[in-house]
Amino acid sequence: MKSLNLYDIEDLRYEEIDKPVITSPTDVIIRVKATGICGSDTSRYKKLGPYQEGMTFGHEFSGIVADVGSQVTSVSVGDRVTGCPAIVCHKCTHCEQGNYSRCESLYVIGSLEPGCFAEYVKLPESNVLRLPDTVDFNTAAMVEPSAVVAHGFYKTSMEPGATVAVMGCGSIGLLAIQWARIFGASHVVAIDIDDHKLDIARTLGADYCINSTRENLGKIIDTLPYHIDVAVESAGALSTIGPVLTLPKKGGEVLLLGIPYADIQMARIQFEKILRNELNVIGSWNGLSAPFPGKEWSSTLHYMSTGELDIKPIISDVLSLKNGPETFDALVNKKRHFDKVIFTP
Ligand SMILES: [Zn+2]
Ligand SMILES: [Zn+2]
């Protein structure tokens, strides 16, 4: 089968490899129909993280069940599905307590096991979820990042009527805007440095958009007719992790979703907001809870089926897998603008 395999820094190859085969009675093999590039993929492509040389890359996907092991009962051949790409041990204390996102040996396919930038991918039955009929494959390729964002929102103490600010309007931020609405926000403030992303943010439910390169963020926040209850950091950028602390009201919450790929520095005055304003800073990792893989996944599928999670405006490119090497190169070296990129193997 065709696949995209990572060999070294910026060395991604489109090549022929063997199809996965059933080796355990709970294995499910899926014919991949759509698979997305995640921010963590571009970071691994640039710097390598956990990976094995030549490993098939990618972890966000949807597809059709092609083969099942002898003990699989929840899905059958021909079912439309998506996969939770996180593999946990189900044995450590955290797993026993249902806190699967804290599993001591959590990893995601595409790093230590073959991923989904391929025609076929294999997962355990417990990681495979059936799609509602109304959810198309491209939308379903974004179930995983949506579950990751939902996981963070479940950790907040948001109540209906809250005001949420989202800093960074990449895929994660654009999902956060929609999850904020689903969790009952009456106002959503979107902040980015790119007008194009802010336009998408507005389409997806942000009612106040701020371009922080042109406008004085602090001044604008002070003049808003409402206080910010929850500020979401969804860029993982040096330029957002400090400023996001200045956004919430006293006693408010900061939800950290973005993963920084460099050391963080911030002004003392920004850090001091945590203390002086008695902020509750919430870290969130992956998107897992009990029963595995968790309500993050079932609620994502539900809100995708109702249209309250709208993925189409986030997708800028639907490409063939063979365009993978040049697409990663263009993306990482900023040769042109991309929003979410989907490959159709
Ligand atoms: Zn991802
Ligand atoms: Zn575990």
Side-chain angles (χ1 to χ4, degrees):
M1 66 171 180
K2 296 287 189 245
S3 61
L4 283 178
N5 303 320
L6 185 65
Y7 281 85
D8 202 341
I9 293 177
E10 301 199 18
D11 180 2
L12 182 68
R13 302 181 199 169
Y14 177 67
E15 54 190 8
E16 190 74 28
I17 56 165
D18 290 340
K19 267 166 69 170
V21 289
I22 302 276
T23 50
S24 143
T26 56
D27 280 346
V28 177
I29 292 174
I30 299 154
R31 171 74 176 92
V32 179
K33 298 293 284 182
T35 173
I37 299 181
C38 173
S40 69
D41 294 330
T42 48
S43 145
R44 186 167 293 145
Y45 173 82
K46 263 188 300 194
K47 299 198 183 102
L48 304 180
Y51 97 113
Q52 285 171 6
E53 193 183 330
M55 182 58 74
T56 301
F57 213 18
H59 61 268
E60 304 174 359
F61 78 98
S62 61
I64 297 173
V65 175
D67 200 0
V68 294
S70 58
Q71 285 171 20
V72 171
T73 55
S74 62
V75 289
S76 4
V77 172
D79 283 352
R80 302 166 71 253
V81 295
T82 185
C84 164
I87 308 292
V88 300
C89 75
H90 290 283
K91 287 187 208 125
C92 71
T93 332
H94 304 294
C95 281
E96 276 186 350
Q97 291 169 346
N99 294 318
Y100 298 110
S101 279
R102 301 176 197 169
C103 173
E104 301 291 357
S105 47
L106 183 149
Y107 67 91
V108 168
I109 59 165
S111 58
L112 306 175
E113 267 184 41
C116 54
F117 287 166
E119 289 177 90
Y120 293 87
V121 65
K122 180 164 81 170
L123 276 175
E125 178 184 18
S126 57
N127 291 56
V128 181
L129 300 133
R130 287 233 301 272
L131 297 180
D133 291 342
T134 53
V135 177
D136 63 85
F137 287 121
N138 288 353
T139 297
M142 280 193 76
V143 167
E144 189 260 358
S146 170
V148 166
V149 175
H151 186 68
F153 274 90
Y154 280 111
K155 289 176 176 294
T156 67
S157 50
M158 257 186 83
E159 289 178 357
T163 294
V164 176
V166 174
M167 203 158 188
C169 296
S171 305
I172 294 294
L174 294 169
L175 287 164
I177 287 165
Q178 300 181 73
W179 273 111
R181 288 286 186 201
I182 292 165
F183 270 74
S186 29
H187 299 286
V188 180
V189 179
I191 303 157
D192 203 280
I193 55 174
D194 178 343
D195 285 331
H196 162 72
K197 288 183 179 167
L198 290 170
D199 285 341
I200 306 175
R202 202 172 285 111
T203 312
L204 293 176
D207 45 22
Y208 205 99
C209 294
I210 303 171
N211 184 320
S212 56
T213 56
R214 276 203 308 270
E215 299 172 88
N216 182 318
L217 189 58
K219 266 197 194 139
I220 293 198
I221 296 296
D222 286 344
T223 56
L224 287 178
Y226 27 76
H227 293 301
I228 289 166
D229 299 289
V230 183
V232 180
E233 199 294 309
S234 42
L238 299 183
S239 54
T240 50
I241 291 176
V244 78
L245 300 170
T246 67
L247 301 178
K249 67 179 185 185
K250 291 193 176 194
E253 294 179 312
V254 179
L255 173 60
L256 299 178
L257 294 176
I259 307 171
Y261 291 105
D263 290 341
I264 298 302
Q265 275 191 331
M266 67 177 75
R268 181 189 56 81
I269 193 93
Q270 293 169 334
F271 179 82
E272 208 174 281
K273 293 283 183 189
I274 303 173
L275 292 87
R276 282 186 189 277
N277 290 349
E278 300 198 321
L279 299 180
N280 186 12
V281 179
I282 302 166
S284 182
W285 191 249
N286 219 292
L288 305 169
S289 64
F292 186 89
K295 55 191 180 296
E296 296 85 344
W297 304 78
S298 48
S299 57
T300 286
L301 290 171
H302 169 75
Y303 288 111
M304 281 180 171
S305 77
T306 63
E308 283 159 276
L309 282 173
D310 185 5
I311 301 305
K312 293 203 173 70
I314 307 179
I315 298 173
S316 63
D317 296 80
V318 179
L319 303 168
S320 160
L321 201 57
K322 72 170 184 295
N323 300 122
E326 77 247 26
T327 305
F328 267 87
D329 175 54
L331 191 69
V332 164
N333 297 305
K334 301 196 177 3
K335 293 184 178 168
R336 54 156 279 224
H337 176 85
F338 293 91
D339 299 310
K340 190 75 179 184
V341 177
I342 300 283
F343 293 122
T344 51

